[in-house]
Amino acid sequence: MRVEPHKELNGKYHVPSAKGYSLFCYCFRETEKESQTRERLGESPQVRLEAERAGSCRIQEEGEKRGPPRHIGHPAPRPIGFPADQRPPAFFHQPQPGTTQLVQWAPAPPPPLNCPPGLEYLTQIDQLLIHQQVELLEALTGFETNNRYAISNSFGQRVYFAVEENDCCTRNCCGNLRPFIIKILDNTGREVITFDRPFRCVSCFYPCCLQQLEIQSPPGVPIGYITQNWHPFLPKFTVLNEHHQEVLKIQGPCIVCRCCADVDFDIKSLNEQTTVGKITKQWTGIIKETFTDADNFAIQFPLDLDVKMKAVMLGACFLIDFMFFEHGGSSDSSRTGVWQ
């Protein structure tokens, strides 16, 4: 290999290369260091020139073997398939601030035997979270609108969406006493459960005409009922199956209005000695509780409970919401006890 003589450039040395490699900075740094060392040792300029030529030849040989040197201070090459001015995000699944997040629906498990269509979501959960949507028109004007609820599991995945169907006159004249039909929709918009509440009395002087709710799944096929039991102080309910046989009991506190605290309605066995679950009205804050009737509920029940009874528990939650925590229309505030 032939090395051309050095050419001096601004007091520095440059080694020409046939491949056009930039060896100037390497030669200059090494030559300057060796020059200082040899000056201290008293070597002659001729000896220093021969050493510089040997170092230049070694650098050129290493450049041919290793290829072009990497540019110090510049970013590494981009991955193949990405433009040069773009870089793949580190965490593509994380939502960016200010962007709208899509609602995540829970995947549907395989339906078991004797399970109404659409209730397979309830077979693998022991808790439901119900969040009532805030209606802007209702919050600003007090004009009662149809209630809407988002129903999720404990992981925050949406399981169902509930919508009330009622006319304007009934909503604003009857208030929380109004009869209603609530439809439960799955992620495809299919109606899987229907709650039907007839108009009933809430006075303690009429124990034969207390509150009742019918649960249908699929719509038109009853799978259970919720009936109110007469009691002078406590709100009590009985959970019935499709054959009107008693299955469970529900009992609430004497005073259902509590400031800065949750309100629990216990789900008990038939003898009322064992608590197997509860329906909890969650405290949502003084502002939301004062100016809106959008409530949050949580339902806990045994995992091995019959899937139809889980749907009935969901209906009991809506009945409790309307009876004790719904206000608007002709009623100015929610009820604080079992009798209005």
Side-chain angles (χ1 to χ4, degrees), residues 13-14 18 35 39 41 51 57 99 102 114 123 142 162 180 182-183 200 210 224 247-248 263 272 277 279 292 306 327:
Y13 293 92
H14 173 69
S35 298
E39 287 177 0
L41 296 178
C57 182
T99 59
L102 298 179
N114 300 325
T123 58
F180 62 74
I182 293 181
K183 295 183 177 181
R200 290 294 185 109
L210 299 181
V247 179
L248 295 169
V263 181
E272 301 186 9
I279 300 174
T292 70
D306 182 31
H327 55 85

Side-chain angles (χ1 to χ4, degrees), residues 200-219:
R200 290 294 185 109
C201 184
V202 292
S203 174
C204 62
F205 300 105
Y206 299 95
C208 61
C209 191
L210 299 181
Q211 294 297 306
Q212 181 177 343
L213 182 71
E214 181 181 15
I215 297 90
Q216 304 172 3
S217 182

Side-chain angles (χ1 to χ4, degrees), residues 39-277:
E39 287 177 0
R40 290 196 301 267
L41 296 178
E43 294 182 354
S44 62
Q46 182 66 26
V47 176
R48 183 168 64 250
L49 179 61
E50 295 295 335
E52 291 172 353
R53 290 180 177 180
S56 302
C57 182
R58 176 172 53 84
I59 293 174
Q60 185 176 5
E61 292 177 352
E62 292 178 356
E64 293 177 352
K65 294 179 181 179
R66 300 179 182 178
R70 298 180 179 178
H71 298 279
I72 302 176
H74 294 275
R78 308 293 186 184
I80 299 176
F82 291 89
D85 58 344
Q86 296 182 3
R87 178 177 295 179
F91 302 98
F92 62 92
H93 60 276
Q94 293 185 358
Q96 300 297 327
T99 59
T100 303
Q101 302 183 20
L102 298 179
V103 177
Q104 183 180 8
W105 287 82
L113 296 177
N114 300 325
C115 177
L119 298 190
E120 60 269 9
Y121 293 93
L122 303 178
T123 58
Q124 300 179 356
I125 59 177
D126 59 356
Q127 184 179 11
L128 286 175
L129 304 177
I130 298 93
H131 174 69
Q132 184 176 354
Q133 305 293 310
V134 177
E135 301 293 340
L136 184 60
L137 177 63
E138 182 176 343
L140 296 178
T141 64
F143 185 82
E144 187 69 22
T145 59
N146 284 325
N147 292 347
R148 299 187 301 169
Y149 305 83
I151 305 172
S152 309
N153 56 19
S154 57
F155 298 100
Q157 298 174 324
R158 182 171 295 183
V159 180
Y160 299 115
F161 191 81
V163 291
E164 176 192 0
E165 286 192 354
N166 231 324
D167 59 273
C168 176
C169 180
T170 302
R171 291 195 311 266
N172 291 275
C173 294
C174 299
N176 59 356
L177 304 180
R178 66 183 183 265
F180 62 74
I181 292 180
I182 293 181
K183 295 183 177 181
I184 307 299
L185 312 177
D186 62 3
N187 59 345
T188 63
R190 177 185 57 171
E191 183 181 353
V192 295
I193 310 175
T194 301
F195 300 137
D196 187 1
R197 178 198 187 188
F199 182 79
R200 290 294 185 109
C201 184
V202 292
S203 174
C204 62
F205 300 105
Y206 299 95
C208 61
C209 191
L210 299 181
Q211 294 297 306
Q212 181 177 343
L213 182 71
E214 181 181 15
I215 297 90
Q216 304 172 3
S217 182
V221 181
I223 61 173
Y225 304 87
I226 300 292
T227 59
Q228 182 185 7
N229 301 333
W230 188 91
H231 193 277
F233 306 110
L234 299 176
K236 288 190 174 185
F237 303 89
T238 299
V239 180
L240 309 174
N241 60 15
E242 63 269 27
H243 305 295
H244 293 272
Q245 298 173 347
E246 296 184 358
V247 179
L248 295 169
K249 299 283 187 178
I250 300 177
Q251 177 178 320
C254 180
I255 300 177
V256 298
C257 180
R258 297 178 182 177
C259 183
C260 303
D262 297 343
V263 181
D264 294 332
F265 289 77
D266 295 329
I267 303 174
K268 298 186 176 183
S269 58
L270 290 179
N271 57 9
E272 301 186 9
Q273 299 298 322
T274 305
T275 301
V276 298

